[in-house]
Amino acid sequence: QVQLQESGPVLVKPSQTLSLTCTVSSDSSTTNFYYLSWIRQAPGKGLEWMGAIPAHSGTTYYSPSLKSRASISKDTSNNQFTLQLTSAIPEDTAVYYCARDIGQATFDSWGRGTQVTVSS
């Protein structure tokens, strides 16, 4: 069984860096071959995939629209994955989710999501 939990600030000022952490909890039988994705949903809009990092390597993948501002990293020893989004703008206001992708965009576990507002 896998559990994901997002954490980070609720309010970010424009031009600052939005930083969120996803902590993954799982038992020893859980495979390590998955991708950890960050996905967000802005008010009144659909889900937007932002990027991903494999649990078993350091390669990262980003949405073309966010590639210049997004950075995903991981702390394997603590099973934590971090999203940083630089130069935050009000349009980054959204509920941010981390989700486990077991391959071919099959998301089998999601965090509950965390609301982030970008406002001065």
Side-chain angles (χ1 to χ4, degrees):
Q1 186 171 353
V2 178
Q3 293 184 325
L4 291 78
Q5 178 67 57
E6 306 90 350
S7 60
V10 175
L11 181 64
V12 176
K13 293 185 177 181
S15 81
Q16 291 186 339
T17 296
L18 185 161
S19 183
L20 298 173
T21 296
C22 177
T23 301
V24 180
S25 303
S26 61
D27 60 33
S28 58
S29 66
T30 302
T31 179
N32 196 40
F33 289 91
Y34 64 90
Y35 295 77
L36 190 287
S37 284
W38 284 97
I39 297 164
R40 69 181 181 179
Q41 186 169 29
K45 296 189 176 181
L47 294 171
E48 178 187 17
W49 178 83
M50 302 178 68
I53 185 169
H56 52 279
S57 79
T59 307
T60 50
Y61 306 87
Y62 299 102
S63 166
S65 64
L66 295 171
K67 187 174 183 179
S68 63
R69 297 195 295 130
S71 177
I72 298 173
S73 60
K74 64 181 180 179
D75 177 355
T76 304
S77 62
N78 290 311
N79 288 329
Q80 291 184 326
F81 299 79
T82 298
L83 167 71
Q84 290 193 318
L85 191 62
T86 61
S87 304
I89 57 177
E91 288 75 16
D92 292 325
T93 295
V95 177
Y96 286 76
Y97 300 91
C98 57
R100 191 178 81 150
D101 177 1
I102 57 174
Q104 299 183 333
T106 302
F107 299 99
D108 70 340
S109 299
W110 290 73
R112 296 176 64 180
T114 186
Q115 172 71 50
V116 179
T117 300
V118 179
S119 175
S120 55

